[in-house]
Amino acid sequence: AKFDKVGYDGVYMQYSQRMPMGSILKTFMYYKTRWWHENGFNGIATMTGTTNYVGQVFDISQQAPAPCLMGFVLGDKAREWQTLSKDVKENTLKKEYEIFIGDGHSQPDFLRYEEYDWLDVSYIGGTGGVAGPG
């Protein structure tokens, strides 16, 4: 079957008007080894503070093609993140992970950086908003 457009009923349209999309980006840092595991870290970490970009980081090495840390950049930080160059993003994440997870570990086995930006998806325009009354 061919679909020419996505159709929504009135109930969904009213719902979406009361729940604007939030600003969230997924970042992926791929490595040759799970260096954070050697430092005793595995699973999920939440980073709090006003200076860091990443709010949460997950070890998704089991599902990824190489050892990988997946981080989420949220809200105002996500909108600011969009304005940065790829090199700045990569170096920023390296520094944040070195401080938070690696205790200064230099990450010599870094492979590549990737991201998924829900704000750039035309039919979504973000993710995870907050529902208003009604």
Side-chain angles (χ1 to χ4, degrees):
K2 181 180 177 185
F3 296 97
D4 292 325
K5 64 180 181 175
V6 177
Y8 298 109
D9 63 17
V11 173
Y12 178 82
M13 293 302 291
Q14 287 185 353
Y15 169 75
S16 67
Q17 291 168 357
R18 288 177 178 78
M19 187 171 175
M21 300 307 280
S23 302
I24 299 177
L25 292 115
K26 260 195 231 185
T27 64
F28 302 91
M29 296 286 278
Y30 292 95
Y31 300 90
K32 292 178 188 173
T33 64
R34 292 173 66 196
W35 59 269
W36 54 93
H37 191 67
E38 296 165 8
N39 293 345
F41 291 94
N42 188 22
I44 302 169
T46 299
M47 296 186 270
T48 60
T50 57
T51 59
N52 56 291
Y53 281 96
V54 173
Q56 294 178 316
V57 62
F58 297 82
D59 177 357
I60 63 164
S61 300
Q62 301 277 336
Q63 299 85 17
C68 182
L69 292 174
M70 177 181 69
F72 286 93
V73 183
L74 313 169
D76 291 338
K77 295 284 187 182
R79 290 185 291 279
E80 184 180 333
W81 189 259
Q82 286 185 307
T83 67
L84 304 176
S85 71
K86 184 176 180 178
D87 287 340
V88 170
K89 292 174 182 180
E90 183 180 299
N91 290 325
T92 299
L93 287 180
K94 283 181 182 178
K95 288 176 187 172
E96 288 187 13
Y97 292 166
E98 285 171 11
I99 293 167
F100 187 75
I101 299 170
D103 194 24
H105 193 283
S106 64
Q107 305 175 44
D109 59 351
F110 174 75
L111 293 173
R112 71 182 181 279
Y113 166 80
E114 295 177 2
E115 70 180 38
Y116 185 80
D117 185 351
W118 280 294
L119 297 169
D120 284 342
V121 181
S122 61
Y123 57 89
I124 298 175
T127 186
V130 178

